[in-house]
Every structure is written in C-alpha cells, then in structure tokens.
Amino acid sequence: MSHTEASAETDGPESTHSGGGGVEDTLELRLPGELVALSGQDRPSRAEAPTGREPQDTTPHGASGGQNPRDRPFPRGDLLDALAEWGAVATPAGRFQLVPVRIDRDLQLVSRWMNDPAVAAFWELAGPESVTEHHLGGQLAGDGRSIPCLGVLDGVPKGYFEIYRADLDPLARHYPARPHDTGIHLLIGGVADRGRGLGTALLRAAADHVLDHRPHCARVVAEPDLRNTPSVSAFLSAGFRFSAEVDLPDKRAALMVRDRALSKVL
C-alpha cells in the first residue's frame, strides 16, 4: 500500500512502508517459529512511564456511542500487548492517549484529514470516505498486527496514528528487523497544529508509550519519505535517530529508530 506516516510535527505528512538495502543498523536475528509463521501473512494493504496512568476513555469529545462488530478494537490485542488498555500519559502538551479507531465513530474525521492536500501528497488516501474506510477496515479485520488509532490530547482528537508490528510487516524485508520491533505511522490532522512542535511532542509520547507497554520491544521504528523534510526533522526532535536510507516499493525513506536503551537520554 502506498502508505504513509504523514505530518508528524510537520508542515507536511509523510510516506510509509517497505524498501531498501544498505542498512547497517544491526545484525539480523533469527525469528522464533511463531513469528516466522505470522510474518508469512502480509499485513492488509497498508511516555512517560505508566506512573499516574489513567483508565482509558475510548470516546473522544464529540464521539457517539454504538459499535458494530467490525468496528471493535481487537478483543485481545495479543500482537501489540493490549494497546486499547494502555490508557493516557502526561505530556508537556496535555494528557495523550492512543484510542483505537471505530469506523462508525471516526470515519468522517479521518477521511477529512486524508483529504487535506498536505496529507494526501504522502498518504495517497484522498477521495470519498470509502477510500479511508477500506484502508481502516483492512487493519480492523486483520489479526491485530496493525492498529489504527486516534491520537487524543486532553480528550480532543489531534491526529491519526497506526501502531504496527514492523517485524511482521513487509517492511521487515527491507531492513534487519528484530523481534517485536514496533512501527509508527502518523499524521497531525489540523493545519493549525502543524509546525509548532505538537507533532514532535505527540510522536515522542507515542513512541515512549509503546516502549513502556511492550516490554519485549527494544525499539520503535519509522520510515518517513525522505522528501518530507519537516517529518524527518520531527522524528529527530522526538528522540529518533537516523539509521539509513531505504528503497521501499513506493518511496525512498529515512529509516528512523528510537531505541529503548537511549530513550531516557534522547
């Protein structure tokens, strides 16, 4: 899928997914049999520590109730350690939470963000709501290796995030993946929220939230489009390091890595 992690900090969004050689970041490790079996199934077409963690409120301000079975977050969340139960975390910008998307509640909002020209240039999901619905539905109907979320700040949706198992994703064919590597795609939805540091703050919060709640995950990875300079800059400001340039099927990307071992100093 010609996917993306758009507009992190950013004045522009950014592209995502597979590609590239010449990555010298780390030695490739042998995956356990369970992960090998899972990685044979391609994913559908595209914090502070938990101290003071609040119980999860999965209904952002302005959201309606009601839930269709296909809209429900994954009941067990095994592949991503029950993301829906992670709760909120304090950030300099406010209380941040990853809230799994429900199509009946969130489709209109996410589709509107995808039709912003700055976002559409990298995510390539502009068009009628059915385009976004297909993209979200492919993940929601899957095995839980990719979870689409709203990034909610103090109860208000500020962006769209995808938290996914990079080691089980086609991306793993293009860099030396380690077991439990976790990837992030994101976009900041409101034009007024871009270019002022909010994306960097939420990106750092989301990455550290992953590390806090996924004890077997040693690093969070991302692959912004190299053309999206503001997004690459946001990842660097959020404590990611540049690892390599990788050639993915739909873009040349910057492989960005946030290491657990360095997360308290970067």
Side-chain angles (χ1 to χ4, degrees), residues 115-139:
N115 278 278
D116 180 323
V119 173
F122 294 97
W123 283 77
E124 301 180 2
L125 290 172
E129 289 184 358
S130 59
V131 175
T132 299
E133 182 174 13
H134 177 76
H135 178 74
L136 298 174
Q139 296 173 80

Side-chain angles (χ1 to χ4, degrees), residues 16-187:
T16 237
H17 269 139
S18 319
V23 181
E24 75 237 339
D25 183 62
T26 181
L27 294 176
E28 186 163 5
L29 303 182
R30 182 177 298 275
L31 294 176
E34 175 193 3
L35 297 187
V36 171
L38 283 167
S39 63
Q41 311 164 27
D42 285 352
R43 186 171 142 234
S45 126
R46 285 239 233 220
E48 292 177 16
T51 55
R53 175 182 163 205
E54 294 177 348
Q56 183 190 24
D57 172 11
T58 57
T59 305
H61 290 340
S64 61
Q67 196 173 24
N68 294 327
R70 69 193 180 98
D71 297 334
R72 293 183 191 133
F74 306 106
R76 292 168 29 227
D78 294 339
L79 293 178
L80 283 165
D81 297 305
L83 181 152
E85 300 173 7
W86 290 0
V89 65
T91 78
R95 302 288 304 175
F96 174 74
Q97 186 169 357
L98 291 166
V99 178
V101 162
R102 288 211 325 253
I103 289 178
D104 64 335
R105 182 189 67 199
D106 305 320
L107 176 60
Q108 185 176 29
L109 175 63
V110 178
S111 179
R112 185 172 77 242
W113 288 341
M114 293 299 182
N115 278 278
D116 180 323
V119 173
F122 294 97
W123 283 77
E124 301 180 2
L125 290 172
E129 289 184 358
S130 59
V131 175
T132 299
E133 182 174 13
H134 177 76
H135 178 74
L136 298 174
Q139 296 173 80
L140 294 170
D143 60 5
R145 69 182 63 193
S146 178
I147 300 183
C149 298
L150 295 180
V152 177
L153 187 67
D154 290 335
V156 179
K158 290 292 186 178
Y160 172 72
F161 287 70
E162 291 173 354
I163 309 299
Y164 69 99
R165 285 287 296 270
D167 59 329
L168 304 181
D169 188 83
L171 173 64
R173 301 170 186 158
H174 303 280
Y175 84 106
R178 295 178 181 175
H180 295 280
D181 276 359
T182 304
I184 291 183
H185 304 143
L186 74 150
L187 66 87

Side-chain angles (χ1 to χ4, degrees), residues 213-265:
H213 291 276
R214 300 209 64 233
H216 298 296
C217 172
R219 56 192 190 166
V220 178
V221 302
E223 356 76 65
D225 193 311
L226 275 172
R227 299 170 300 164
N228 194 345
T229 304
S231 188
V232 174
S233 176
F235 278 102
L236 291 170
S237 298
F240 285 71
R241 59 182 174 83
F242 173 79
S243 174
E245 293 185 12
V246 291
D247 288 312
L248 306 182
D250 57 351
K251 68 182 179 184
R252 186 159 180 81
L255 180 65
M256 310 298 295
V257 178
R258 182 154 175 77
D259 303 278
R260 177 183 295 279
L262 299 176
S263 64
K264 303 306 179 187
V265 296

